[in-house]
Amino acid sequence: QLDSLLKKMEINVAEAEKRTGKNTMNMQETYTVYLIETRPAEAVPEGGTPATPDCLWRRYSEFELLRTYLLVTYPYIVVPPLPEKRAEFVWHKLSADNLDPDFVERRRVGLENFLLRVASHPVLSNDKIFFLFLTEEKGWREAVLETGFQDKVDSRLKSLSAMFRVKNPDKRFTDLKHYSDELSTVIAQLLRVRARVADRLYGVYKVHGNYGRIFSEWSAIEREMGDGLQSAGHHMDTYAASIDDILEEEEHYADQLKEYLFYADALRSVCKKHDLTQYESEMAAQDLASKKQQKEELATGTVRVFSLKGMTSKLFGQESQEQRESRLAALEQSIQEGEELLKDKNTECQEFVRTAWEDIERFKEQKDRDVREALISYAIMQISMCKKGIQVWSNAKECFNKM
């Protein structure tokens, strides 16, 4: 296994910038571009300065093109997903507008994460087109289109119906499909609950601002208690204001879970492509069986299935010995080709299962590790938020004590 690209290169999506330009329809549009910085990952000597990074700008649609290329070129790999195009599962105070600065910032983090995922993948990181995506601003789009991957996309469209016609589905992939469906359902529910909780928290925190207002109004009419009330009000205001940053940070953990919501789609995509390779090998087997049956009928002169050819030969006399022999020879040739094709398709199918399963095992380990970390970080964050809440009320209590 070759070393992943991350060992040789540092990759950052350093910033996002809004631009306005003409689109293909010659209409004005505003869009966001992201700055990708790369530099060699060499150890910098003490006191030395690191190499200046190479920089280039990419639009979200170019990231999409790269991912489509990877999906088509590596059908047996669980290709890392991109961050969402429009915000979903958000608490209502958070803008879902895709040019909103907070959303753009979270998307910048998500795009960087996507590049790091690809760059650390044992297979994807060695792809030439991916390397060009990071290093060649101008000729990249042409290079990716020249690979002809889009023709493969079109020819694979039939795969959609193939899954319904596979005769002996592979149990492992059927189970994987169920697993990915259930995974996306569970994570979607989790994200919905979290958004509802965030909404309620937001309300509770902001209402503390009313305590602040009342305490400071009250302090204005009290001589002895004035200072204590004023300070307590100040603590309440601080508390009310702190929720914006808290929920913005929480969104970061939600995004980590959301990535696995989209990963479920990548798993389903591998299952679909497995169905297609299996369907093709089943079709080759069926085709070969029917040719062998034709040969047997021709050799013995018995027709098991009614056919127009059989009917015409009864009406207009048998074909000559020569005609029969040349037909037999052609069938022989065709059977040989059929056997070769079947062998190739079976090998392709076995190879697909082997490589896909290797990548699925790698993915599962990564998923267990990431989800565990995200949930633990989320829990730690909730605990620290509650501790801050206790602290605010303890401070208020001190203020009341001094009155």
Side-chain angles (χ1 to χ4, degrees), residues 265-303:
D265 269 345
L267 276 181
R268 280 192 285 267
S269 167
V270 173
C271 293
K272 247 186 211 161
K273 286 156 183 168
H274 169 260
D275 280 341
L276 182 66
T277 52
Q278 192 177 337
Y279 172 68
E280 286 174 348
S281 90
E282 283 181 0
M283 289 311 284
Q286 204 176 317
D287 197 37
L288 182 62
S290 104
K291 282 173 181 162
K292 284 182 172 169
Q293 186 187 329
Q294 280 177 2
K295 182 190 159 187
E296 184 198 335
E297 287 167 6
L298 194 61
T300 58
T302 57
V303 177

Side-chain angles (χ1 to χ4, degrees), residues 150-311:
Q150 283 175 309
D151 304 337
K152 276 196 198 162
V153 177
D154 302 333
S155 72
R156 292 265 169 182
L157 281 177
K158 60 178 185 199
S159 66
L160 292 175
S161 55
M163 54 189 293
F164 302 113
R165 299 205 296 264
V166 172
K167 286 193 184 60
N168 304 306
D170 183 320
K171 187 174 182 316
R172 287 181 301 176
F173 283 91
T174 316
D175 290 348
L176 188 64
K177 215 178 298 171
H178 290 318
Y179 170 76
S180 56
D181 290 344
E182 284 167 0
L183 180 69
S184 59
T185 308
V186 168
I187 292 184
Q189 285 172 343
L190 187 65
L191 289 164
R192 270 189 210 102
V193 172
R194 186 240 136 213
R196 290 216 307 272
V197 171
D199 270 337
R200 286 168 69 172
L201 258 177
Y202 187 80
V204 169
Y205 268 73
K206 288 300 181 193
V207 168
H208 275 71
N210 295 350
Y211 278 133
R213 199 186 71 242
I214 290 162
F215 284 147
S216 54
E217 282 173 7
W218 190 3
S219 74
I221 58 168
E222 297 284 355
R223 286 240 310 276
E224 308 295 317
M225 295 162 62
D227 289 351
L229 288 168
Q230 182 86 46
S231 311
H234 176 67
H235 286 304
M236 292 299 151
D237 288 338
T238 312
Y239 185 65
S242 67
I243 190 65
D244 297 289
D245 290 345
I246 290 173
L247 289 186
E248 193 51 61
E249 187 195 336
E250 197 179 281
E251 206 60 37
H252 171 66
Y253 301 119
D255 283 342
Q256 288 178 318
L257 290 171
K258 226 177 258 186
E259 185 188 11
Y260 281 92
L261 182 69
F262 305 137
Y263 253 128
D265 269 345
L267 276 181
R268 280 192 285 267
S269 167
V270 173
C271 293
K272 247 186 211 161
K273 286 156 183 168
H274 169 260
D275 280 341
L276 182 66
T277 52
Q278 192 177 337
Y279 172 68
E280 286 174 348
S281 90
E282 283 181 0
M283 289 311 284
Q286 204 176 317
D287 197 37
L288 182 62
S290 104
K291 282 173 181 162
K292 284 182 172 169
Q293 186 187 329
Q294 280 177 2
K295 182 190 159 187
E296 184 198 335
E297 287 167 6
L298 194 61
T300 58
T302 57
V303 177
R304 279 193 288 177
V305 187
F306 169 81
S307 72
L308 202 60
K309 258 193 184 134
M311 192 69 196

Side-chain angles (χ1 to χ4, degrees), residues 331-347:
L331 261 175
E332 268 300 330
Q333 175 66 24
S334 182
I335 285 170
Q336 244 177 340
E337 284 163 10
E339 276 172 342
E340 282 300 307
L341 178 70
L342 181 59
K343 207 167 113 189
D344 291 348
K345 288 289 171 197
N346 283 342
T347 311

Side-chain angles (χ1 to χ4, degrees), residues 17-35:
E17 187 180 282
K18 257 188 224 177
R19 289 191 185 167
T20 307
K22 294 261 170 59
N23 63 13
T24 42
M25 327 275 272
N26 208 20
M27 311 230 307
Q28 282 282 27
E29 63 162 350
T30 304
Y31 56 89
T32 310
V33 285
Y34 298 88
L35 181 68

